Amino acid sequence: MRGKIPTLKPSTRDKYAGMLDSHILPALGDHYVDAISPQDVILWRDAQHAKASTVNSRLRVLRAMLRDAQADLGLPRDPCARVRTMPEEPPVGNRLKPEDLQRVLAYLRDNEPGWYPLFLTMALTGARFGEISALEWNDIDEDAEVLWIRRSQWQGRVGTTKTGKVRDVPLPPLLKEVLKQHRRQLIRNQAPGLSEGLIFPSRVGTYRRNASLRKPLGRALQAAGIADRFTLHGFRRTWNNLLRQVSS
């Protein structure tokens, strides 16, 4: 872990450490690394009490660590080399139909105007929450009508995007106008975080955390009559799903 920390995002470091502490070391921590066999890994995999996608996520972390150990320590074999992942159900849900999305956004526009610009940006760009919450006003290019996704943040720690690449997304006229009004409101209120250039600062001027969006999203879903599970990442899944229906 010490060798990999400089190359990992903070969120990934926490994920790896959590999986080590809670799921890998309690079962395999007393083994010498060169004594771990594929059968040990299979028994560990099959003893996990979680859905297949979660088990596979843990297995991928273990596999990455053991591959690194093989390279770093000169081990004769990789214990995970032929250990397969669990079969997963095709991902379903966590996305909205167009009419449902319209009802959710309409509720936010009419009843939660302070939250509406953020949720509209998520709905119309398909960007991840960490990317949206790290946006700055200089990321908007009104002439080219694009929004630049240059960075991401996790719990206030800013880094590159998940893929490490800068990209641009279209800035539709509706979103362009809503963001203009949002900026005017921030200036009118002299909102904390305005001087730092943040488009969506928290009430104290820091980067927003996703937990702060759960209540307004819950109210919008309830008002729209949507009982199925829907998360912030569902806006990205909805955007991708709707895009696939009208594009190659």
Side-chain angles (χ1 to χ4, degrees), residues 127-186:
R128 301 172 179 86
F129 171 76
E131 298 167 340
I132 294 293
S133 55
L135 284 173
E136 300 177 3
W137 291 108
N138 58 16
D139 295 324
I140 298 177
D141 187 337
E142 292 190 8
D143 294 333
E145 296 187 329
V146 297
L147 190 64
W148 286 97
I149 309 296
R150 295 186 169 105
R151 69 195 75 81
S152 183
Q153 69 88 21
W154 181 76
Q155 296 187 357
R157 286 175 275 187
V158 182
T160 62
T161 63
K162 184 174 182 179
T163 61
K165 298 179 181 179
V166 174
R167 68 184 190 279
D168 63 302
V169 295
L171 182 66
L174 170 62
L175 181 57
K176 182 178 179 180
E177 182 57 34
V178 167
L179 289 179
K180 280 185 178 180
Q181 295 175 11
H182 174 60
R183 183 181 176 91
R184 286 196 289 266
Q185 186 66 30
L186 290 178

Side-chain angles (χ1 to χ4, degrees), residues 54-217:
T54 301
V55 173
N56 290 339
S57 182
R58 296 170 186 170
L59 178 59
R60 282 190 285 270
V61 170
L62 176 62
R63 181 180 289 160
M65 290 180 175
L66 290 179
R67 282 176 179 169
D68 284 345
Q70 183 188 21
D72 294 343
L73 305 176
L75 302 182
R77 58 181 171 77
D78 172 11
C80 293
R82 296 187 65 81
V83 178
R84 296 185 178 183
T85 55
M86 304 287 284
E88 298 182 28
E89 294 289 332
V92 296
N94 202 23
R95 62 191 186 205
L96 299 175
K97 298 177 181 177
E99 58 271 20
D100 293 335
L101 180 61
Q102 287 178 335
R103 289 201 303 274
V104 167
L105 293 176
Y107 168 84
L108 291 165
R109 180 195 63 214
D110 298 337
N111 301 278
E112 312 256 6
W115 290 108
Y116 177 59
L118 196 161
F119 282 106
L120 184 68
T121 304
M122 295 185 68
L124 296 186
T125 64
R128 301 172 179 86
F129 171 76
E131 298 167 340
I132 294 293
S133 55
L135 284 173
E136 300 177 3
W137 291 108
N138 58 16
D139 295 324
I140 298 177
D141 187 337
E142 292 190 8
D143 294 333
E145 296 187 329
V146 297
L147 190 64
W148 286 97
I149 309 296
R150 295 186 169 105
R151 69 195 75 81
S152 183
Q153 69 88 21
W154 181 76
Q155 296 187 357
R157 286 175 275 187
V158 182
T160 62
T161 63
K162 184 174 182 179
T163 61
K165 298 179 181 179
V166 174
R167 68 184 190 279
D168 63 302
V169 295
L171 182 66
L174 170 62
L175 181 57
K176 182 178 179 180
E177 182 57 34
V178 167
L179 289 179
K180 280 185 178 180
Q181 295 175 11
H182 174 60
R183 183 181 176 91
R184 286 196 289 266
Q185 186 66 30
L186 290 178
I187 295 173
R188 190 178 303 119
N189 297 335
Q190 285 299 291
L194 187 63
S195 59
E196 285 76 18
L198 297 180
I199 295 182
F200 302 114
S202 69
R203 284 184 292 182
V204 294
T206 57
Y207 291 100
R208 284 199 176 275
R209 299 199 176 194
N210 56 8
S212 66
L213 277 68
R214 289 174 187 163
K215 288 185 178 179
L217 177 59

